[in-house]
Amino acid sequence: MKFIINIILLFCIAVTVKSEDGHELWLRKSKPSAVNIASKGTSETLNIARQELTQNWQGEPGATITLKIVKDKRFKGDGFKLETTGIQANTELGILYGVYEMLRRQQTGQPVSIVISNPSYEHRILNHWDNPNGTIERGYAGYSIFWRNGKDSLTITEQDKKLWTEYARANASIGINGTVLNNVNASQNMITAPYLERVKAIADILRPYGIKTYLAVKFSSPSLLGGIKTSDPLDPEVIQWWHGKVGEIYSIIPDFGGFLVKANSEGQPGPQDFGRTHADGANMLADALKQYDGIVMWRAFVYSPEENDRAKQAYLEFMRFDGMFRENVIIQVKNGPVDFQPREPFSPLFGAMKKTSVMAELQITQEYLGHSIQLVFLAPMWEECLQSDTYQEGPGSTVARATDGSIYPQKHSAIAGVANIGLDNNWCGHPFAQANWYAFGRLAWNNKLSSETIADEWIRQTFLPEDAKEKGITSGDWQQKFLVPVKEMMLQTREAAVNYSMPLGLHHIFAGAHHYGPGPWEAPRGVRPDWTPVYYHRADTLGIGFDRTRKGSDAVSQYQEPLASQFDDPETCPDKYLLWFHHLPWTYEMKNGRILWDELCYSYESGVLQVREFQKIWDQVEPYVDKQRFSEVQSKLRRHYRDARIWKDACLLYFQQYSKLPIPYDIERPENDLEDLMKIRLGWSHHN
Ligand code: GCV
C-alpha cells in the first residue's frame, strides 16, 4: 500500500514540476518577500543592486538591509563584507557582488553570516571565440550572441539589448568582470569603425554590471587596415598606427579593457614574421594602451611543426623573456602544455615565470570533452590544475597561488575561460554545460572553492522546484533523492570522460579536426605530424606513450624538483600522467599489479560503465525535474553512452593491433568493427 502511495505521490510531483527551457540559468525567479533597503546614492550599478534585492529577497520578510560604501583596507578590489543586516564594500560593484552573494546564500540555504569576501583575481574574463559572421569557433550552442551575418548585421535591436543585459547579469552574479568579444583567430575588421560602434553598444550595456569589454586583435592590422607596408612592431609608422587606433577605440569606449593576442600560432601573424620577439610585439601594444590603463593578454599557445615535442615549446619560447614584459602585459597560458585535453599535467610555465604576470586560460566550451552532447562537469579538472603544486617557491606553490599574486608581486592577476555561450535558448547547448560557465566564474572569484561546493550551489539554484514545498517535495526529500545523486554524478563525469577517451595520460587522439570522436589511427599524408594522433600516442609493437623523460624529449626537466624526477620515473609518475611522460611496454607492470594493456582495457571499460550509471541516476530523478530538461538530458545521455562505447571499441581494437594481447575476458566485448569505426569518424559530419 505504502509503495502504491509513494508511486502516486511521485507521479503527482512529476506532473506538477513546471517545464523550463533553462534560459534563466541559475537565476530562476521565485516569489520574493518584502525587504527594506537603506542605501545612499544613485547610480546604475546601485540601482541594479537594489532591484536584485527587492525582486529576489528570500530572507526574513520585512528585514532592513543596509548597503554602505566605505573605505576599508581589508577589502581587495571589489571585495565586500557580508553581514546579516547589510553589505559593505569600497566600490559600488563590491556592493552588487555582495548582493548576489547574499541572495545565493538564501537560495542555497546557507546562513548569511559575517564574512569578508575578496576576489582571487583582479581580472575574471570570458574569451568568446566568436567570428564577425556569427559563427563560433568550437561553439556548440548556436550562433554568437554578439555578431551575426547578413545585411543588418550591425544594427542593434531591442532583442540584442535584452540578451546582452541577461548575459551581463548572469556574469555579474558570479563575479565575472571582463569579456573578450571576438575570436583569438581575429578578423582585422573588428577594430574598424562600424564594428567599434557595436562594441560600444555592448559595452554600454555591460558597464553597469561591472563588465569591461576587450577585443582580440590581428597583429597584421597595420598592413591590412592601415595600408602600411609592414606590421613590424619596431617600425615607427606601425607604432604610430597602433597608438592612433588605440586612441580611436578609447574615444568611443572610454573604459575599454585592452587586447587579447594570438600571435605566431597556428598560422596567425605575429612579431616573428618580422624577425622580432613576442616581447617586442606585446610591449609595443602595451605601450599604446598604457595611458588608458589598458592591458595586453598575450597568449603563450605557440608551437610549430619543426620542434620535436609540442609540449615543450611554449616554455622554451617564453621563459627567456621573463622580466622583459611591460607591467600591463599578462601572459595567458593554457592549463596544460599541449592544449585543453581531457587530462594534462599543468603547464610548466606556471610558477616558473617569476617576473611576469601570468594568467591561466581554461576552456569552458567542451571542445575536447564531448561538445554539448556529453555531460561533463569541468570544475574537477580546473581544481586539479589550480591545486597542482609547482614547487617553484617550495611546497605549496600551487598554480592558483602562483597566478593570483600570493607568491609573486605581479602587477596584474587574471584568469580567462573560453566561453560556451551561444544563441541557444539555454545558452550553452546542454543544460549541464551551464554548470561549467557557473564554475568558471565562481573559481575566478575564489580559486579555493571545491568542485563539490560549486556543484552543490549550482544544482540548488538551477533545479530546486520553485514551489517545492507546496508540491509536497520536502527539502530533505529533494536533497536526498535529487541533490545528492546528481551532485555525485557531476563530480564523476570528468574522470569518466578521461577513462573512456584518453586514460593513463593519453592525449589528442581524436579523429580529425572536429575533436569529438576517436581516431587513434589517423595520420593522413600531408598533414603536419603534430596535428595527428599517432604523434601523441606513439603506439607500436613495443608499447605505447610519449617518452618525455630525460632520455626522451626531456619535457620533464621543465618542471621544478621534486616533480621532474617524480615524472621521469614510471615507478613514481602518477598513473594519470603515465603515458604522457613515458613510452612503456604493453606488459609493463602497473602499481596495482596489472599489466599496462589490461589496465588500459579496464580504464576504457570503467568509463563506459560510469556513463551507464549516469543514465540510471538521471532516470531515477525524473519525478524531481521538469519534463523539458529531464527529456533533454536523458536523450543526451543516451548518445553520450553510445559514443563512450565507440571510444572504447575504437581505441582498444586499434591498440590491440600492436599489443597483440587479449582484452581481459571479464570485459564486455567490442561490438563494432575497427574498419567501420575508421570509416565513420564519429562526429565528423556534425561539426566540420
Ligand atoms: C581558436 C586549438 C583549437 C583551435 C583554437 C586554438 C587556440 O587548436 O582547436 O580552434 O583556435 O586551440 O586556442 O588558439
Side-chain angles (χ1 to χ4, degrees), residues 504 506 534-549 552-553 567-568 570 577-586 588 596 658:
L504 302 177
L506 288 174
V534 294
Y535 172 90
Y536 297 98
H537 64 64
R538 308 209 163 193
D540 54 25
T541 50
L542 300 177
I544 180 170
F546 199 127
D547 184 358
R548 296 192 165 109
T549 64
S553 82
F567 290 157
D568 192 52
Y577 302 138
L578 198 61
L579 303 178
W580 181 282
F581 288 113
H582 298 273
H583 188 270
L584 295 169
W586 296 105
Y588 174 79
L596 172 59
Y658 298 102

Short mmCIF file of all heavy atoms in Angstrom, two decimals, residues 504 506 534-549 552-553 567-568 570 577-586 588 596 658:
data_model
loop_
_atom_site.label_atom_id
_atom_site.label_comp_id
_atom_site.label_asym_id
_atom_site.label_seq_id
_atom_site.Cartn_x
_atom_site.Cartn_y
_atom_site.Cartn_z
N LEU A 504 45.08 7.25 -18.54
CA LEU A 504 46.50 6.99 -18.23
C LEU A 504 47.47 7.96 -18.92
O LEU A 504 48.61 7.60 -19.23
CB LEU A 504 46.88 5.54 -18.60
CG LEU A 504 46.07 4.44 -17.90
CD1 LEU A 504 46.48 3.06 -18.40
CD2 LEU A 504 46.24 4.52 -16.38
N LEU A 506 47.04 9.43 -21.94
CA LEU A 506 46.90 9.56 -23.40
C LEU A 506 46.28 10.91 -23.71
O LEU A 506 45.55 11.48 -22.89
CB LEU A 506 46.00 8.45 -23.95
CG LEU A 506 46.60 7.05 -23.98
CD1 LEU A 506 45.54 6.03 -24.42
CD2 LEU A 506 47.81 6.99 -24.93
N VAL A 534 48.75 9.87 -34.05
CA VAL A 534 49.89 8.94 -33.88
C VAL A 534 51.11 9.65 -33.29
O VAL A 534 51.93 9.06 -32.61
CB VAL A 534 50.29 8.24 -35.21
CG1 VAL A 534 49.18 7.32 -35.69
CG2 VAL A 534 50.64 9.25 -36.29
N TYR A 535 51.19 10.96 -33.53
CA TYR A 535 52.28 11.76 -32.96
C TYR A 535 52.21 11.70 -31.43
O TYR A 535 53.25 11.72 -30.75
CB TYR A 535 52.15 13.20 -33.45
CG TYR A 535 53.08 14.20 -32.79
CD1 TYR A 535 54.35 14.47 -33.32
CD2 TYR A 535 52.69 14.91 -31.64
CE1 TYR A 535 55.19 15.40 -32.72
CE2 TYR A 535 53.52 15.83 -31.05
CZ TYR A 535 54.78 16.08 -31.59
OH TYR A 535 55.61 17.00 -31.00
N TYR A 536 50.99 11.64 -30.89
CA TYR A 536 50.82 11.74 -29.44
C TYR A 536 50.83 10.40 -28.70
O TYR A 536 51.31 10.33 -27.59
CB TYR A 536 49.54 12.52 -29.11
CG TYR A 536 49.60 13.95 -29.61
CD1 TYR A 536 49.02 14.32 -30.83
CD2 TYR A 536 50.31 14.91 -28.90
CE1 TYR A 536 49.12 15.62 -31.30
CE2 TYR A 536 50.42 16.22 -29.37
CZ TYR A 536 49.82 16.56 -30.59
OH TYR A 536 49.94 17.84 -31.06
N HIS A 537 50.25 9.35 -29.34
CA HIS A 537 50.20 8.09 -28.55
C HIS A 537 51.39 7.19 -28.83
O HIS A 537 51.76 6.38 -27.99
CB HIS A 537 48.87 7.36 -28.76
CG HIS A 537 48.64 6.86 -30.15
ND1 HIS A 537 49.42 5.90 -30.75
CD2 HIS A 537 47.67 7.18 -31.07
CE1 HIS A 537 48.94 5.65 -31.97
NE2 HIS A 537 47.88 6.43 -32.19
N ARG A 538 51.98 7.31 -30.01
CA ARG A 538 53.21 6.59 -30.36
C ARG A 538 53.13 5.08 -30.13
O ARG A 538 54.10 4.43 -29.72
CB ARG A 538 54.40 7.16 -29.60
CG ARG A 538 54.46 8.67 -29.79
CD ARG A 538 55.80 9.27 -29.72
NE ARG A 538 55.66 10.61 -30.33
CZ ARG A 538 56.66 11.37 -30.68
NH1 ARG A 538 57.89 10.97 -30.51
NH2 ARG A 538 56.45 12.55 -31.25
N ALA A 539 51.95 4.51 -30.34
CA ALA A 539 51.80 3.07 -30.12
C ALA A 539 52.57 2.30 -31.19
O ALA A 539 52.53 2.65 -32.38
CB ALA A 539 50.32 2.68 -30.16
N ASP A 540 53.26 1.27 -30.77
CA ASP A 540 53.93 0.36 -31.70
C ASP A 540 53.99 -1.01 -31.02
O ASP A 540 53.46 -1.18 -29.92
CB ASP A 540 55.33 0.88 -32.08
CG ASP A 540 56.19 1.19 -30.87
OD1 ASP A 540 55.94 0.58 -29.80
OD2 ASP A 540 57.11 2.02 -30.97
N THR A 541 54.63 -1.95 -31.66
CA THR A 541 54.62 -3.30 -31.08
C THR A 541 55.35 -3.34 -29.74
O THR A 541 55.14 -4.23 -28.93
CB THR A 541 55.29 -4.30 -32.04
OG1 THR A 541 56.55 -3.76 -32.42
CG2 THR A 541 54.42 -4.56 -33.26
N LEU A 542 56.22 -2.35 -29.51
CA LEU A 542 56.97 -2.35 -28.25
C LEU A 542 56.16 -1.77 -27.08
O LEU A 542 56.43 -2.07 -25.93
CB LEU A 542 58.27 -1.54 -28.41
CG LEU A 542 59.24 -2.06 -29.47
CD1 LEU A 542 60.44 -1.15 -29.57
CD2 LEU A 542 59.66 -3.49 -29.12
N GLY A 543 55.23 -0.88 -27.40
CA GLY A 543 54.48 -0.28 -26.30
C GLY A 543 53.72 0.95 -26.75
O GLY A 543 53.44 1.15 -27.94
N ILE A 544 53.41 1.81 -25.78
CA ILE A 544 52.58 2.97 -26.06
C ILE A 544 52.99 4.13 -25.14
O ILE A 544 53.47 3.93 -24.03
CB ILE A 544 51.08 2.62 -25.86
CG1 ILE A 544 50.17 3.82 -26.15
CG2 ILE A 544 50.80 2.08 -24.46
CD1 ILE A 544 48.69 3.48 -26.20
N GLY A 545 52.79 5.38 -25.64
CA GLY A 545 53.04 6.57 -24.82
C GLY A 545 54.14 7.44 -25.41
O GLY A 545 54.89 7.02 -26.30
N PHE A 546 54.18 8.67 -24.95
CA PHE A 546 55.15 9.66 -25.44
C PHE A 546 56.31 9.74 -24.44
O PHE A 546 56.09 10.07 -23.28
CB PHE A 546 54.46 11.03 -25.54
CG PHE A 546 55.15 12.01 -26.44
CD1 PHE A 546 54.47 12.65 -27.46
CD2 PHE A 546 56.50 12.32 -26.26
CE1 PHE A 546 55.09 13.57 -28.29
CE2 PHE A 546 57.14 13.23 -27.08
CZ PHE A 546 56.44 13.86 -28.10
N ASP A 547 57.50 9.45 -24.89
CA ASP A 547 58.65 9.48 -23.99
C ASP A 547 59.12 10.93 -23.78
O ASP A 547 59.82 11.49 -24.61
CB ASP A 547 59.78 8.62 -24.57
CG ASP A 547 60.97 8.55 -23.61
OD1 ASP A 547 60.91 9.19 -22.53
OD2 ASP A 547 61.95 7.85 -23.94
N ARG A 548 58.71 11.49 -22.67
CA ARG A 548 59.13 12.86 -22.35
C ARG A 548 60.10 12.86 -21.16
O ARG A 548 60.26 13.85 -20.47
CB ARG A 548 57.90 13.74 -22.05
CG ARG A 548 56.98 13.91 -23.24
CD ARG A 548 55.93 14.99 -23.03
NE ARG A 548 55.32 15.36 -24.29
CZ ARG A 548 54.07 15.06 -24.66
NH1 ARG A 548 53.29 14.39 -23.86
NH2 ARG A 548 53.61 15.45 -25.84
N THR A 549 60.74 11.70 -20.95
CA THR A 549 61.71 11.60 -19.85
C THR A 549 63.00 12.28 -20.26
O THR A 549 63.14 12.79 -21.39
CB THR A 549 62.02 10.12 -19.54
OG1 THR A 549 62.67 9.55 -20.71
CG2 THR A 549 60.76 9.34 -19.22
N GLY A 552 64.15 10.90 -23.26
CA GLY A 552 63.27 11.17 -24.40
C GLY A 552 63.32 12.65 -24.77
O GLY A 552 64.40 13.22 -24.93
N SER A 553 62.14 13.29 -24.85
CA SER A 553 62.14 14.70 -25.26
C SER A 553 62.60 15.62 -24.12
O SER A 553 62.82 16.80 -24.32
CB SER A 553 60.73 15.12 -25.69
OG SER A 553 59.95 15.43 -24.56
N PHE A 567 58.17 12.67 -12.22
CA PHE A 567 57.58 12.39 -13.53
C PHE A 567 58.51 11.52 -14.38
O PHE A 567 58.07 10.76 -15.23
CB PHE A 567 57.29 13.70 -14.28
CG PHE A 567 56.17 14.53 -13.70
CD1 PHE A 567 56.09 15.91 -13.95
CD2 PHE A 567 55.18 13.95 -12.93
CE1 PHE A 567 55.05 16.68 -13.44
CE2 PHE A 567 54.13 14.71 -12.39
CZ PHE A 567 54.08 16.08 -12.64
N ASP A 568 59.81 11.66 -14.16
CA ASP A 568 60.80 10.98 -15.00
C ASP A 568 60.81 9.46 -14.80
O ASP A 568 61.19 8.72 -15.70
CB ASP A 568 62.19 11.55 -14.68
CG ASP A 568 63.22 11.12 -15.70
OD1 ASP A 568 62.96 11.31 -16.91
OD2 ASP A 568 64.27 10.57 -15.30
N PRO A 570 58.83 6.00 -14.17
CA PRO A 570 57.47 5.43 -14.26
C PRO A 570 56.98 4.87 -12.93
O PRO A 570 55.78 4.79 -12.70
CB PRO A 570 57.59 4.34 -15.32
CG PRO A 570 59.05 4.10 -15.51
CD PRO A 570 59.77 5.35 -15.09
N TYR A 577 49.27 10.35 -15.38
CA TYR A 577 50.15 11.01 -16.36
C TYR A 577 51.14 10.02 -17.01
O TYR A 577 52.07 10.44 -17.70
CB TYR A 577 50.99 12.12 -15.69
CG TYR A 577 50.16 13.20 -15.02
CD1 TYR A 577 50.53 13.70 -13.77
CD2 TYR A 577 49.03 13.73 -15.63
CE1 TYR A 577 49.78 14.71 -13.15
CE2 TYR A 577 48.29 14.73 -15.01
CZ TYR A 577 48.67 15.21 -13.78
OH TYR A 577 47.94 16.19 -13.16
N LEU A 578 50.94 8.74 -16.76
CA LEU A 578 51.97 7.75 -17.14
C LEU A 578 52.34 7.82 -18.62
O LEU A 578 53.52 7.93 -18.97
CB LEU A 578 51.46 6.35 -16.78
CG LEU A 578 52.54 5.28 -16.71
CD1 LEU A 578 53.57 5.62 -15.63
CD2 LEU A 578 51.92 3.92 -16.43
N LEU A 579 51.33 7.76 -19.49
CA LEU A 579 51.65 7.70 -20.93
C LEU A 579 51.88 9.10 -21.51
O LEU A 579 52.23 9.25 -22.68
CB LEU A 579 50.55 6.96 -21.69
CG LEU A 579 50.31 5.53 -21.16
CD1 LEU A 579 49.18 4.86 -21.92
CD2 LEU A 579 51.59 4.69 -21.24
N TRP A 580 51.67 10.09 -20.69
CA TRP A 580 52.05 11.46 -21.09
C TRP A 580 53.58 11.57 -21.07
O TRP A 580 54.19 12.17 -21.94
CB TRP A 580 51.44 12.49 -20.13
CG TRP A 580 51.77 13.90 -20.49
CD1 TRP A 580 52.95 14.55 -20.23
CD2 TRP A 580 50.95 14.83 -21.20
NE1 TRP A 580 52.91 15.83 -20.74
CE2 TRP A 580 51.69 16.02 -21.32
CE3 TRP A 580 49.65 14.76 -21.72
CZ2 TRP A 580 51.19 17.15 -21.97
CZ3 TRP A 580 49.15 15.90 -22.34
CH2 TRP A 580 49.92 17.07 -22.47
N PHE A 581 54.18 10.94 -20.06
CA PHE A 581 55.63 11.08 -19.88
C PHE A 581 56.43 9.86 -20.31
O PHE A 581 57.65 9.93 -20.39
CB PHE A 581 55.95 11.39 -18.41
CG PHE A 581 55.56 12.78 -17.98
CD1 PHE A 581 54.55 13.00 -17.05
CD2 PHE A 581 56.22 13.89 -18.50
CE1 PHE A 581 54.20 14.29 -16.65
CE2 PHE A 581 55.88 15.18 -18.11
CZ PHE A 581 54.88 15.39 -17.19
N HIS A 582 55.75 8.72 -20.54
CA HIS A 582 56.54 7.50 -20.78
C HIS A 582 56.00 6.68 -21.95
O HIS A 582 54.80 6.61 -22.15
CB HIS A 582 56.50 6.61 -19.53
CG HIS A 582 57.12 7.27 -18.34
ND1 HIS A 582 58.47 7.21 -18.07
CD2 HIS A 582 56.56 8.06 -17.38
CE1 HIS A 582 58.71 7.92 -16.98
NE2 HIS A 582 57.58 8.46 -16.55
N HIS A 583 56.93 6.08 -22.66
CA HIS A 583 56.57 5.06 -23.64
C HIS A 583 56.91 3.73 -22.98
O HIS A 583 58.08 3.44 -22.71
CB HIS A 583 57.38 5.25 -24.93
CG HIS A 583 56.92 4.36 -26.04
ND1 HIS A 583 57.43 3.10 -26.24
CD2 HIS A 583 55.98 4.53 -26.99
CE1 HIS A 583 56.83 2.54 -27.29
NE2 HIS A 583 55.94 3.39 -27.76
N LEU A 584 55.87 2.93 -22.70
CA LEU A 584 56.11 1.72 -21.89
C LEU A 584 55.62 0.47 -22.61
O LEU A 584 54.67 0.52 -23.39
CB LEU A 584 55.35 1.85 -20.56
CG LEU A 584 55.85 2.98 -19.64
CD1 LEU A 584 54.88 3.19 -18.48
CD2 LEU A 584 57.25 2.68 -19.11
N PRO A 585 56.28 -0.67 -22.30
CA PRO A 585 55.85 -1.93 -22.93
C PRO A 585 54.42 -2.28 -22.54
O PRO A 585 53.96 -1.94 -21.44
CB PRO A 585 56.81 -2.97 -22.34
CG PRO A 585 57.87 -2.23 -21.63
CD PRO A 585 57.40 -0.83 -21.39
N TRP A 586 53.75 -2.97 -23.42
CA TRP A 586 52.36 -3.38 -23.17
C TRP A 586 52.25 -4.21 -21.90
O TRP A 586 51.20 -4.23 -21.26
CB TRP A 586 51.82 -4.16 -24.36
CG TRP A 586 51.75 -3.31 -25.61
CD1 TRP A 586 52.60 -3.37 -26.69
CD2 TRP A 586 50.80 -2.27 -25.89
NE1 TRP A 586 52.24 -2.43 -27.63
CE2 TRP A 586 51.13 -1.74 -27.16
CE3 TRP A 586 49.72 -1.75 -25.20
CZ2 TRP A 586 50.40 -0.70 -27.74
CZ3 TRP A 586 49.00 -0.72 -25.77
CH2 TRP A 586 49.34 -0.20 -27.03
N TYR A 588 54.14 -3.81 -19.23
CA TYR A 588 54.69 -3.09 -18.08
C TYR A 588 53.79 -3.31 -16.86
O TYR A 588 52.57 -3.22 -16.95
CB TYR A 588 54.77 -1.59 -18.41
CG TYR A 588 55.19 -0.74 -17.24
CD1 TYR A 588 56.53 -0.64 -16.85
CD2 TYR A 588 54.23 -0.06 -16.48
CE1 TYR A 588 56.90 0.12 -15.76
CE2 TYR A 588 54.58 0.71 -15.38
CZ TYR A 588 55.92 0.79 -15.03
OH TYR A 588 56.28 1.53 -13.94
N LEU A 596 50.10 -3.14 -18.22
CA LEU A 596 49.61 -1.89 -18.80
C LEU A 596 48.43 -2.11 -19.75
O LEU A 596 47.43 -1.40 -19.68
CB LEU A 596 50.78 -1.19 -19.53
CG LEU A 596 50.43 0.04 -20.35
CD1 LEU A 596 49.79 1.13 -19.52
CD2 LEU A 596 51.69 0.58 -21.03
N TYR A 658 48.67 -3.65 -31.99
CA TYR A 658 50.07 -3.56 -31.57
C TYR A 658 50.36 -4.40 -30.33
O TYR A 658 51.39 -5.05 -30.23
CB TYR A 658 50.45 -2.10 -31.28
CG TYR A 658 50.32 -1.22 -32.51
CD1 TYR A 658 49.22 -0.39 -32.67
CD2 TYR A 658 51.29 -1.28 -33.51
CE1 TYR A 658 49.09 0.40 -33.81
CE2 TYR A 658 51.16 -0.49 -34.65
CZ TYR A 658 50.06 0.34 -34.79
OH TYR A 658 49.93 1.10 -35.92
#
